[in-house]
Amino acid sequence: MPPPQTQARQPEPTITMLFRAAIGPINTDFYLPIFTRFEASGRAGLSWNWAASLCTFNWLVFRGLRGYALGYLAVLVFLPLLTLGLGRLVLNWSELAELLVGLSGLVLLFVLPGIGGNALFYRATRKNLEAAIVASAKLEQACKLLVGQSSSRQRFIRILVGNLALLCVVLPPCMPLLTRYSSETETTASSATARVQEAPASAPLPSAFPPLNVASSPLQSVALGTLPSDPVPAVSMPQPVASAPSLAASVPARMPSEPVRRASAPVTTASVPASEVSAPVTVASVSVLSVSSPKRLPSKPASVGHFYVNVGLFANATNAQRVQDKLRNARLPVINQRVHGVKGELIRVRVGPFAGLNQAGEAARKIKALNLDAVVVRL
């Protein structure tokens, strides 16, 4: 039998040769079928390109689309200024408006280049083909001219080196900011943990109005319509009169600046004999007194030097020292204590002592102004 005849290889179409020369040696097999499909349909359609979506600026520069690269860079710079500067400071945008602008920016910067990058590259390549055909007398000359304009490996290496150089220039100034943000996050987390651990052991804050003491007045003075000459420091709220022992508590104490007015009708001691102190006394025996409405007396001052402000409980000595330095710079009295917790030895940072609750509260407001936690405790 005669040997089988090998099928001759079909010559590549001219338009395919031109597209291959214009695309260049990198990712030619990806773009060539897409461009052939666009050419057959007579228009550029939509298709996805990951390189154009995730590395838009570098991809535009690499494919020779420098005008579009400058426009993309302008949008990349203008969008944050529009959102944070004009929108937040001037137009007072709401959070919903900022969210919508941010989502629109993501679509504009990533989705739109990814879905339309191939069409954009096709149109630019088509223009280069037409210019090369007009400028060349032969197909080989046109292909050679297109190869000189295509995306070469040398251009790819230059862009990569430029990105590394830019990273080396930008990264060192940003490192202190990243370190500071990380330290502040760790300090906040440690302070929150310490506050949770100290919550059961913390003493409750003193009430602004502690319970008032019951004034003890002699029953005979009440019966005579007079009160002791010395002012009573504290009284309780009036209660219903039920018996003689609770009669003194039912009559508000006389304020120093407002004397008690006696009733016009005289009252004798015979109305309440001394031998019948334990006997029930009716409300009528008290109705002869006219006493001004009771006023709330100021609470007793707190004990001196018993108030502190807990700032945090730290496992890292460096973080504790940083917080102490910040408090000392604010001219606050700082003390630290070493305590043993579940995770080992911890450092508690406090501010104090203070003579009263008002002074401790003022110190707590200064500490919170420094972006630190502040919990007032009484020891």
Side-chain angles (χ1 to χ4, degrees), residues 341-362:
V342 179
K343 298 182 179 181
E345 189 176 57
L346 302 175
I347 301 175
R348 176 187 286 125
V349 178
R350 282 177 170 170
V351 174
F354 297 99
L357 181 61
N358 293 335
Q359 298 178 3
E362 181 67 24

Side-chain angles (χ1 to χ4, degrees), residues 146-159:
L146 291 173
V147 169
Q149 299 174 354
S150 65
S151 304
S152 61
R153 299 184 186 278
Q154 290 79 8
R155 184 187 297 179
F156 178 80
I157 294 174
R158 288 196 297 268
I159 292 175

Side-chain angles (χ1 to χ4, degrees), residues 44-106:
L46 299 178
S47 59
W48 186 257
N49 190 328
W50 283 107
S53 174
L54 301 180
C55 305
T56 307
F57 181 77
N58 289 329
W59 181 82
L60 292 172
V61 174
F62 177 67
R63 292 302 175 183
L65 307 174
R66 294 180 177 85
Y68 293 100
L70 293 177
Y72 178 84
L73 186 62
V75 173
L76 189 64
V77 174
F78 175 74
L79 188 61
L81 294 179
L82 175 65
T83 305
L84 301 178
L86 182 63
R88 179 173 297 182
L89 301 180
V90 179
L91 301 179
N92 295 325
W93 282 353
S94 63
E95 294 183 358
L96 179 59
E98 292 182 0
L99 179 60
L100 294 178
V101 173
L103 293 177
S104 302
L106 291 178

Side-chain angles (χ1 to χ4, degrees), residues 307-311 327 330-333 350-354 356-370 372-376:
F307 289 95
Y308 295 85
V309 182
N310 284 344
V311 180
L327 294 172
R331 301 182 181 276
L332 294 171
R350 282 177 170 170
V351 174
F354 297 99
L357 181 61
N358 293 335
Q359 298 178 3
E362 181 67 24
R365 285 190 290 272
K366 292 182 179 179
I367 295 171
K368 290 181 179 178
L370 301 175
L372 297 175
D373 292 332
V375 179
V376 179

